[in-house]
């Protein structure tokens, strides 16, 4: 198989190769966030050199060139994960790497969006009474220093979050646990990143019915790390940068899906990510669409690519580059294209981080979780 030819697009700042694909069905959807416009895209020129294997039918740019503008979409990085805490309590877990600078209890500029999201969730859930703000650290450093830092961070979150909960009847109490209650008991950087957190623990109100459409959801939380695959695939043309494999289940079926990330590099004014996706196993005969992995739902009504790049240092999430008509710069897929045992090549283009020297970013694939990557 061959990667399809892509059309190079010349922008003011240099040569950028971008393929813009339309939605799988219906008219192009307009981009949701307010776009940051750039120079218009001229008519596509010569074809890109073919490369690795790919299937599908990407949609080329059509129409008048002045009708297409590059939208670099950036949003605040809000990493709030629902958790189950001890004593029958529920919780919202926030990554300390997003809330604070390393070793500090001073909230970052990007923390406000996460705290506002927690406040909104608590209001909608009908929680009242006392809730705990619990700080946790990793196991690096002295026990006493970690305990002090966890207490200071919990207090910082309590002080900033309490005003957002006015007239809710919720009273926040801060406490620190240091490194005594790790979420993952491993001495790896991935585990330590999960252990550095602040949890808002609360007693949930009476059980609520699941929201409509939840039976189709297969997306993982934004803060959930994607599990590393145990073995390397032997049928790829290049060595993967990271491989992940996850068991996925909802009312539609049960599947095991593998993704091998093979490309993560700057290309002109963009970041290009390339990966191979395949179905490893299906416990039922139910088919799983390729698009579901990247929009996080098995519903046929969900087709938009919802993978993002996370710049945790700047507190931003970078969404796939989009045209003025709402078409996304990614590989194309058919509305009913299903995964099978063969590796299916795909790619997406994202904006550069605001700090061009930043090399550590994370790729969020809804059905798999978040993968930490380093720019070459």
């Amino acid at each position: 198989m061959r990667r399809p030819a892509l059309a190079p697009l010349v922008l003011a700042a240099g040569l950028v190769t971008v393929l813009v694909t339309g939605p799988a069905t219906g008219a192009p959807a307009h981009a949701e966030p307010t776009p940051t416009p750039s120079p218009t895209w001229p008519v596509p020129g010569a074809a890109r050199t073919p490369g690795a294997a790919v299937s599908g039918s990407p949609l080329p740019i059509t129409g008048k060139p002045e009708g297409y503008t590059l939208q670099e979409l950036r949003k605040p990085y809000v990493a709030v994960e629902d958790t189950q805490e001890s004593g029958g309590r529920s919780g919202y877990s926030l990554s300390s790497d997003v809330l604070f600078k390393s070793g500090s209890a001073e909230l970052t500029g990007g923390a406000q969006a996460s705290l506002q999201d927690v406040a909104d969730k608590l209001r909608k859930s009908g929680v009242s009474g006392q809730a705990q703000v619990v700080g946790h650290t990793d196991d690096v450093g002295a026990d006493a220093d970690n305990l002090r830092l966890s207490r200071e961070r919990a207090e910082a979150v309590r002080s900033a979050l309490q005003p957002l909960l006015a007239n809710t009847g919720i009273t926040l109490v801060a406490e620190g646990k240091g490194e005594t209650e790790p979420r993952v008991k491993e001495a790896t950087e991935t585990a330590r990143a999960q252990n550095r957190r602040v949890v808002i623990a609360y007693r949930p109100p009476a059980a609520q019915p699941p929201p409509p459409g939840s039976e189709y959801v297969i997306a993982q939380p934004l803060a959930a790390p994607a599990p590393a695959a145990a073995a390397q695939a032997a049928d790829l043309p290049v060595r993967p940068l990271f491989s992940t494999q996850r068991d996925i289940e909802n009312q539609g079926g049960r599947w095991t899906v593998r993704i091998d990330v093979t490309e993560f590099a700057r290309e002109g004014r963009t970041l290009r990510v390339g990966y191979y996706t395949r179905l490893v196993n299906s416990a039922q005969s139910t088919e799983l669409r390729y698009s579901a992995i990247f929009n996080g739902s098995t519903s046929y009504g969900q087709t938009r690519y919802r993978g993002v790049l996370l710049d945790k240092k700047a507190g931003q999430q970078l969404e796939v580059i989009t045209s003025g008509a709402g078409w996304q710069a990614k590989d194309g897929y058919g509305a009913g294209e299903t995964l099978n045992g063969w590796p299916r090549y795909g790619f997406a283009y994202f904006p550069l981080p605001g700090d061009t020297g930043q090399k550590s970013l994370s790729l969020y694939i809804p059905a798999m979780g978040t993968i930490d990557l380093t720019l070459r």
Side-chain angles (χ1 to χ4, degrees):
M1 296 184 292
R2 290 160 59 92
R3 180 187 299 178
L6 309 185
L9 306 177
V10 182
L11 300 183
L15 180 65
V16 181
T17 303
V18 177
L19 176 70
V20 179
T21 63
T25 58
H30 289 286
E32 296 168 4
T34 302
T36 301
S38 77
T40 57
W41 292 349
V43 176
R48 177 192 173 106
T49 303
V54 64
S55 62
S57 301
L59 210 70
I61 297 174
T62 58
K64 296 181 179 180
E66 60 267 22
Y68 298 93
T69 56
L70 182 68
Q71 298 183 69
E72 298 180 346
L73 307 178
R74 294 175 171 86
K75 289 182 178 179
Y77 170 40
V78 179
V80 179
E81 182 180 358
D82 293 356
T83 60
Q84 292 299 314
E85 304 297 316
S86 60
R89 298 177 301 170
S90 297
Y92 295 119
S93 180
L94 300 93
S95 169
S96 292
D97 295 351
V98 175
L99 296 174
F100 306 99
K101 295 180 180 179
S102 179
S104 170
E106 180 180 353
L107 290 168
T108 64
Q112 186 65 28
S114 295
L115 296 179
Q116 184 63 61
D117 190 50
V118 169
D120 293 342
K121 289 176 181 292
L122 288 170
R123 285 180 179 276
K124 291 178 182 177
S125 65
V127 174
S128 62
Q130 189 179 95
Q132 283 71 43
V133 181
V134 187
H136 301 270
T137 68
D138 59 27
D139 59 353
V140 177
D143 294 356
D145 291 340
N146 287 336
L147 181 60
R148 173 189 53 78
L149 180 61
S150 69
R151 288 172 175 167
E152 292 176 351
R153 286 180 166 178
E155 178 56 34
V157 170
R158 188 205 67 79
S159 297
L161 182 59
Q162 187 69 73
L164 303 178
L165 298 172
N167 303 317
T168 62
I170 301 174
T171 302
L172 300 177
V173 178
E175 60 179 311
K177 297 289 187 179
E179 60 186 82
T180 61
E181 296 183 3
R183 184 176 180 181
V184 181
K185 295 182 179 179
E186 295 178 5
T188 65
E189 182 48 42
T190 299
R192 286 168 173 149
Q194 294 181 69
N195 293 335
R196 296 189 295 267
R197 67 202 192 280
V198 176
V199 177
I200 291 82
Y202 62 91
R203 186 72 57 183
Q208 301 292 322
S214 59
E215 65 270 22
Y216 300 110
V217 175
I218 59 173
Q220 296 295 311
L222 194 64
Q232 181 176 334
D235 56 354
L236 297 180
V238 294
R239 183 180 180 87
L241 303 174
F242 187 89
S243 300
T244 180
Q245 183 168 305
R246 183 182 290 279
D247 295 328
I248 298 172
E249 181 175 2
N250 68 2
Q251 292 187 15
R254 291 159 52 199
W255 312 271
T256 302
V257 174
R258 178 188 179 100
I259 291 183
D260 296 279
V261 180
T262 56
E263 299 172 73
F264 185 53
R266 177 168 177 160
E267 190 169 297
R269 286 181 54 182
T270 70
L271 292 177
R272 177 186 171 96
V273 182
Y275 35 73
Y276 290 84
T277 307
R278 76 180 81 195
L279 183 67
V280 176
N281 181 53
S282 177
Q284 301 177 14
S285 60
T286 309
E287 294 182 327
L288 179 64
R289 290 177 302 122
Y290 172 73
S291 60
I293 304 303
F294 300 95
N295 65 49
S297 173
T298 58
S299 168
Y300 271 82
Q302 298 292 334
T303 58
R304 191 168 183 80
Y305 188 101
R306 299 189 183 278
V308 295
L309 275 181
L310 303 176
D311 183 353
K312 297 179 181 179
K313 181 178 179 181
Q316 285 189 333
Q317 60 184 52
L318 313 176
E319 301 196 0
V320 66
I321 287 176
T322 308
S323 78
W327 295 0
Q328 298 178 306
K330 60 175 179 58
D331 64 296
Y333 53 78
E337 182 177 354
T338 58
L339 280 178
N340 54 37
W342 295 97
R344 198 273 196 206
Y345 177 80
F347 61 88
Y349 285 91
F350 297 91
L352 294 172
D355 178 2
T356 55
Q358 171 71 350
K359 294 186 177 298
S360 297
L361 298 167
S362 299
L363 171 66
Y364 172 65
I365 300 176
M368 310 302 285
T370 298
I371 299 168
D372 293 332
L373 297 169
T374 302
L375 281 171
R376 293 174 289 178

